Amino acid sequence: MLQGMSLACVRGDRELFTDINFSLEAGGLMQVSGPNGSGKTSLLRMLCGLSNPAAGEIRWCGTAIRSLGGDYLAAMTYIGHLSGTKDDLTAIENLRISSALAGSEINATQANDALRYMGLGGRETLPVKVLSQGQRRRVALARLLVCKTALWILDEPLVALDVMAVQLIQELLEQHLKQGGMVVMTTHQEIDITAVSIMQLQLA
């Protein structure tokens, strides 16, 4: 279970949000929405442990994530708004390195299979710099196929994707939820996903 307890976020002299509370259980999806500058990405970075809330606490399975350290990171996969790929590396190299950095070693065959599933067949060995923005996004999202984490935290995962890719990612998210996983995501697009529970968290 992922819990947010009275969370607040301050940037400079501006309070982005305050008193945010939620509880996300296995099989649950939480969609975070709000206008630009409302703190959506800031909240996701807090949930990843990349920044601390100005007030409140984030708990994983009842324990504050600051106390869990690597144990929490091993249970979570974060994919940010930017694809985070390296231009001069191939799609396979990018996927293998990003997976290794996240603590999940995969071989070339596993990376190749994941990229083909994501519709990148024939482009696996091309440097990412020659791929379109949508294809780069697919490379980043291919990590979801090879990670073994329960909690996925995704910042605008559908950005730059075409209709077929959006459907593919929605199916992947739904399968993860059916297996008892959890998803926290931001998106400006309508989503069509079945989950045990779907929670809307609106930031002002």
Side-chain angles (χ1 to χ4, degrees):
M1 176 188 293
L2 179 70
Q3 294 173 290
M5 319 282 289
S6 302
L7 299 177
C9 177
V10 175
R11 288 292 176 267
D13 59 356
R14 182 181 172 220
E15 186 177 71
L16 298 184
F17 57 77
T18 186
D19 199 29
I20 295 295
N21 296 276
F22 63 84
S23 181
L24 185 67
E25 299 188 1
L29 166 69
M30 182 168 76
Q31 185 177 0
V32 182
S33 56
N36 292 338
S38 60
K40 298 185 298 296
T41 294
S42 294
L43 175 60
L44 264 57
R45 288 177 60 83
M46 289 178 189
L47 299 182
C48 295
L50 294 174
S51 62
N52 294 320
E57 186 174 70
I58 299 163
R59 296 178 183 175
W60 175 248
C61 298
T63 302
I65 64 171
R66 281 177 285 186
S67 302
L68 292 172
D71 289 340
Y72 175 64
L73 297 179
M76 180 267 296
T77 293
Y78 170 63
I79 298 179
H81 180 68
L82 299 177
S83 295
T85 51
K86 300 297 183 183
D87 283 353
D88 292 329
L89 299 180
T90 66
I92 284 181
E93 290 169 338
N94 267 285
L95 179 53
R96 293 191 68 188
I97 289 172
S98 63
S99 296
L101 290 173
S104 179
E105 298 277 353
I106 61 171
N107 59 38
T109 298
Q110 290 172 307
N112 186 71
D113 289 346
L115 292 168
R116 285 181 176 274
Y117 182 91
M118 294 298 295
L120 294 169
R123 299 174 177 83
E124 306 95 320
T125 58
L126 293 177
V128 164
K129 63 185 175 184
V130 306
L131 301 181
S132 69
Q133 288 300 316
Q135 290 169 336
R136 293 184 188 203
R137 195 62 177 162
R138 292 188 191 214
V139 173
L141 291 168
R143 271 183 56 204
L144 300 177
L145 289 163
V146 295
C147 71
K148 298 182 175 69
T149 53
L151 174 61
W152 293 356
I153 301 177
L154 312 174
D155 195 356
E156 294 291 345
L158 308 181
V159 69
L161 297 182
D162 58 27
V163 173
M164 291 186 65
V166 168
Q167 181 63 35
L168 186 67
I169 296 304
Q170 289 187 154
E171 291 172 357
L172 183 59
L173 297 178
E174 191 167 286
Q175 183 63 30
H176 180 63
L177 294 167
K178 285 180 179 178
Q179 293 172 349
M182 289 165 274
V183 175
V184 178
M185 64 185 290
T186 63
T187 178
H188 290 290
Q189 297 173 252
E190 293 291 329
I191 56 173
D192 182 17
I193 296 174
T194 300
V196 170
S197 66
I198 297 179
M199 180 189 316
Q200 298 286 340
L201 180 58
Q202 177 72 34
L203 301 181

